[in-house]
Amino acid sequence: MTASPDALRAGNDRRRFVAPLRGQVGAVCFRHPLFDGYGEYLDLVTAERWPEIESLNGRIHASGPRFVQQDTILLADGLHYEARIAQGRIATRAESWHDLFNAMVWMRHPALKCALNRQQCLHIERMGPRERSPAQQALTQFDETGVIVQVRDAALLELWDRHDWAALFHANAGRWSDGGISVAAVVGHALMEQMLVPGRLLVGKCLVVLGDPVDAVAHVVDSISVGASLASPSELRPLPLAGIPGWHAGQGAAFYGNADYFRPLREGRVYPRPL
C-alpha cells in the first residue's frame, strides 16, 4: 500500500512529511529500536546508492509477488494498486524511502502483507475502486503505521486502556525489558520513513496480542486472514512510540506529562479485546 503518510500524526504536526535525501541520512539513524527485526535488510538503506528493482526481488520470497518499477507504462494498465499486487506485481517508485521501507516489510513479513492485500481486494470487489470502507481504512492505517505489541501482563493492558502513559512507560519501565510488554514487530513503513528525522514524536497504530503465543506476528496474520481483525480504525490502539523506554532521549517524568503527545483517553473511547 502506498497511501501518503499524511495521516501519520507526529506530535501536532499534520503537514505532509518530506523525507530527507539519501545522502543526508546517516547509518546511526537505523540503530533505533524501531528498526529491530530488519537487520538483514539494512544494507538496502545504508548503501551509497538506491537499490535496483532486481536486487529487491532477490531478497523477497520467490513464491510471492515481485517488485516492479512504477512508471507511466505500468500505471497505464488502470489497475488499483492492490489489485495489481494480487496479480503478482508490487508497484515501487524509484528512489523512494517510503516504497523502499515498504519493500523491506514485504521481505520480512510476506505473510502479513499478503493477508492485508487479500482483505483489501475483497473490499474493493464489494465497494468498487473509488469507495473505501472502514475496514479498508483500518487495513491501510495498519499497513502504514502498524505495530504489533505483545502483552503478557494484563495489568499493563489496563494502564494502556486508561491512557495512563506515565505508569505504562515510566513507572513500569522495567516491564518493557522483562517481557511484561514488548514490541513484537513494527510493520508500518510510514513510521520507518518518518524515523529518518531523529527525535520525531511518532504514534503507532497497534494490534495487541495478549498472552504468550509462540509467534505473535503469525497470530495477527491468522486473525487478519479470517477477517477477525481490522474491521474498523477504532480497533487500532494508539501507542506514543517515543514513550517506550529507550526509544527517545530525555524520558523523565516531565516528558510523560506532555498532553499534546501523550493524549488523555477520549470520553467514551473503549478499546476492543486484544487478540
Side-chain angles (χ1 to χ4, degrees):
M1 304 177 199
T2 56
S4 166
D6 290 352
L8 181 66
R9 179 169 64 81
N12 285 327
D13 187 356
R14 296 178 181 271
R15 296 170 298 176
R16 178 177 174 81
F17 175 75
V18 178
L21 298 175
R22 190 174 180 92
Q24 296 173 333
V25 180
V28 66
C29 173
F30 303 107
R31 296 175 195 163
H32 190 279
L34 184 140
F35 294 102
D36 287 355
Y38 292 91
E40 64 184 296
Y41 309 112
L42 291 182
D43 62 293
L44 296 171
V45 293
T46 57
E48 217 174 287
R49 298 176 180 273
W50 291 95
E52 301 291 337
I53 289 290
E54 293 77 10
S55 65
L56 296 180
N57 282 324
R59 309 284 281 272
I60 199 170
H61 198 282
S63 64
R66 315 298 285 171
F67 303 109
V68 293
Q69 192 77 48
Q70 177 173 309
D71 53 24
T72 54
I73 296 175
L74 178 72
L75 297 180
D77 63 14
L79 288 176
H80 190 285
Y81 173 78
E82 300 290 349
R84 195 181 292 111
I85 292 176
Q87 292 185 357
R89 297 175 296 161
I90 307 167
T92 304
R93 294 168 293 186
E95 300 187 4
S96 165
W97 282 114
H98 192 77
D99 288 9
L100 179 54
F101 288 129
N102 183 49
M104 288 168 55
V105 183
W106 270 102
M107 295 169 192
R108 181 68 180 85
H109 298 292
L112 175 65
K113 296 290 275 187
C114 284
L116 292 170
N117 172 252
R118 284 192 295 269
Q119 289 299 317
Q120 286 278 13
C121 288
L122 286 174
H123 290 285
I124 291 169
E125 289 175 9
R126 296 175 189 141
M127 304 286 296
R130 290 183 173 81
E131 300 293 327
R132 286 177 60 78
S133 67
Q136 285 177 278
Q137 295 171 21
L139 289 160
T140 297
Q141 284 187 28
F142 186 69
D143 186 63
E144 294 282 341
T145 62
V147 179
I148 298 172
V149 178
Q150 189 161 6
V151 180
R152 297 175 180 85
D153 184 345
L156 298 174
L157 188 65
E158 293 176 9
L159 297 176
W160 194 352
D161 284 341
R162 301 197 302 267
H163 283 207
D164 191 344
W165 304 118
L168 179 65
F169 293 128
H170 192 55
N172 286 283
R175 304 313 315 275
W176 288 87
S177 58
D178 71 7
I181 183 171
S182 59
V183 172
V186 174
V187 298
H189 51 286
L191 288 176
M192 298 179 188
E193 183 183 30
Q194 293 231 347
M195 190 53 72
L196 294 172
V197 179
R200 289 180 68 84
L201 301 179
L202 305 180
V203 177
K205 299 297 182 68
C206 304
L207 286 177
V208 179
V209 176
L210 184 61
D212 199 15
V214 174
D215 188 335
V217 176
H219 196 64
V220 168
V221 170
D222 290 343
S223 183
I224 293 173
S225 296
V226 299
S229 293
L230 301 180
S232 167
S234 63
E235 292 182 30
L236 292 166
R237 288 170 174 262
L239 184 68
L241 300 179
I244 300 174
W247 281 45
H248 193 81
Q251 292 177 325
F255 176 69
Y256 294 103
N258 177 3
D260 284 338
Y261 179 55
F262 297 102
R263 295 190 172 182
L265 185 67
R266 189 174 69 248
E267 184 176 356
R269 181 72 161 100
V270 177
Y271 293 114
R273 293 175 60 83
L275 306 183

